[in-house]
Amino acid sequence: MSRRTTWEGTPCPIARAADVLAEPWTLLILRNATAGTTRFEDFRTQLGIADNVLTTRLAKLVDRGLLTKLPYRDGGRTRHEYRLTKAGSDALPVLHALGAWGDAYTSAEDAAGPMQLVHVGCGELTRPGTFCDSCGKPLVRDDLAWRASRLREGTIPLAEPVG
């Protein structure tokens, strides 16, 4: 029996989502894109990923409609930024759920702690959902930011989707 290489087109939505999101590095690239990373060099530095692997994963995320590739000038060269599309931005609840699950059921010697979601409107921590846990106001994407783990400081506005 031959090994399945794609779940694309299968009736199961979990299998189709896994086909797009379950490759090694893909979720980490999306995590960083959600936190505002857009440039190849920044992804490479932040993730410690090999150039060839990063190139392949970014291309697949562009092909699958989760990122869009936008040119910019860097000195005399044209380079590209990778920005979240609506589909990429809509993966945020999946990242939250995986982070919460990983925090609850896995461990590391020097765990940094999970990224926390901050409702900028009131400045308090909240969980993904429709309303802020602290003030009760509706959660709007533009009013949300990440609070980084203890290894990094400050809050990072969620990246704006393109398109």
Side-chain angles (χ1 to χ4, degrees), residues 56-135:
T56 300
R57 294 304 183 275
L58 288 171
K60 284 185 179 182
L61 287 168
V62 169
D63 288 345
R64 294 315 269 289
L66 280 79
L67 295 175
T68 189
K69 189 174 170 180
L70 302 170
Y72 72 93
R73 296 291 291 171
D74 182 18
R77 296 175 52 170
T78 299
R79 295 181 177 235
H80 293 92
E81 288 187 331
Y82 296 88
R83 300 280 179 97
L84 288 170
T85 63
K86 181 173 180 344
S89 178
D90 284 349
L92 185 61
V94 173
L95 297 174
H96 286 207
L98 284 170
W101 187 91
D103 192 41
Y105 297 106
T106 65
S107 62
E109 281 184 31
D110 189 22
M115 299 281 281
Q116 298 172 314
L117 194 61
V118 176
H119 178 218
V120 176
C122 70
E124 298 294 326
L125 295 178
T126 190
R127 291 172 294 171
T130 307
F131 298 95
C132 177
D133 293 334
S134 296
C135 70

Side-chain angles (χ1 to χ4, degrees), residues 34-63:
T34 300
T37 303
T38 60
R39 296 190 176 182
F40 185 94
E41 298 79 21
D42 295 332
F43 283 113
R44 181 181 58 209
T45 301
Q46 293 167 6
L47 296 172
I49 185 173
D51 286 0
N52 61 328
V53 175
L54 180 57
T55 298
T56 300
R57 294 304 183 275
L58 288 171
K60 284 185 179 182
L61 287 168
V62 169
D63 288 345

